Amino acid sequence: MNRRTTALSAAVALAASLALTGCSSDAPAGDGKPELKVSGAFMPQPVMDMAGGFLTITNDGDTADRLTSVTSPISDDVTIHETKNQKMQEVKFFEIPANGKLSLARGGNHIMFMSLKEKPERGDKVSVELHFEKSDPIKVDLPVEAANHNPKQH
């Protein structure tokens, strides 16, 4: 019986030491903040006085964030929309998961620019500022592409 207790104690001590060793790794720990990057941004050339905007926000941080709004000098009415059951509706925010991404793409979630002050042409760039719940704003230039541009088809 004493031999069994000694073996059990040794196993518990070994497990505890392995757990502590794992916790004291020399690898840098995450700082608990979102780490956001924007890619694939574009706006199809508007054919009316409204336009859509598309991009991907990648979060390499270990904390989630939310896209809460978008502003742009091209319109005083910029909103974010989700598409569900082939219907779009305005939302208050989009989740950006930790170590994940938010994709705003044709036929899906997107930025909506209403009552454009000017109609940008293909080759122009439209400046926007993305606002988040936790992160600082990010300024992005959306290149204006052909009205039928869809990167998924390339």
Side-chain angles (χ1 to χ4, degrees):
M1 194 107 151
N2 198 9
R3 190 180 256 170
R4 181 182 252 175
T5 305
T6 303
L8 181 60
S9 295
V12 169
L14 178 61
S17 100
L18 289 173
L20 289 174
T21 301
C23 291
S24 63
S25 165
D26 288 337
D31 60 6
K33 293 181 182 176
E35 296 175 28
L36 306 180
K37 291 184 292 192
V38 178
S39 62
F42 75 97
M43 171 188 279
Q45 182 175 332
V47 293
M48 301 178 0
D49 70 339
M50 66 177 90
F54 308 99
L55 50 83
T56 299
I57 302 171
T58 303
N59 183 357
D60 291 330
D62 49 8
T63 301
D65 206 345
R66 289 178 170 174
L67 174 65
T68 55
S69 67
V70 179
T71 55
S72 176
I74 199 168
S75 171
D76 294 329
D77 185 9
V78 183
T79 54
I80 52 178
H81 286 195
E82 71 177 0
T83 302
K84 280 189 177 175
N85 302 322
Q86 299 181 350
K87 291 183 180 180
M88 65 177 182
Q89 65 185 36
E90 184 176 344
V91 295
K92 299 234 181 266
F93 60 85
F94 282 124
E95 294 285 345
I96 309 166
N99 298 301
K101 65 172 79 172
L102 167 66
S103 294
L104 303 181
R106 289 197 108 144
N109 300 335
H110 58 279
I111 302 166
M112 194 77 209
F113 301 83
M114 303 296 290
S115 304
L116 296 175
K117 295 177 183 178
E118 59 188 75
K119 272 207 243 175
E121 300 286 329
R122 187 174 177 186
D124 291 346
K125 291 189 178 187
V126 173
S127 176
V128 299
E129 188 168 86
L130 308 174
H131 301 271
F132 304 94
E133 184 176 79
K134 297 175 184 164
S135 301
D136 291 335
I138 297 176
K139 291 184 180 186
V140 179
D141 285 333
L142 291 102
V144 179
E145 302 288 352
N148 62 351
H149 179 74
N150 190 349
K152 287 183 182 177
Q153 296 175 344
H154 297 280

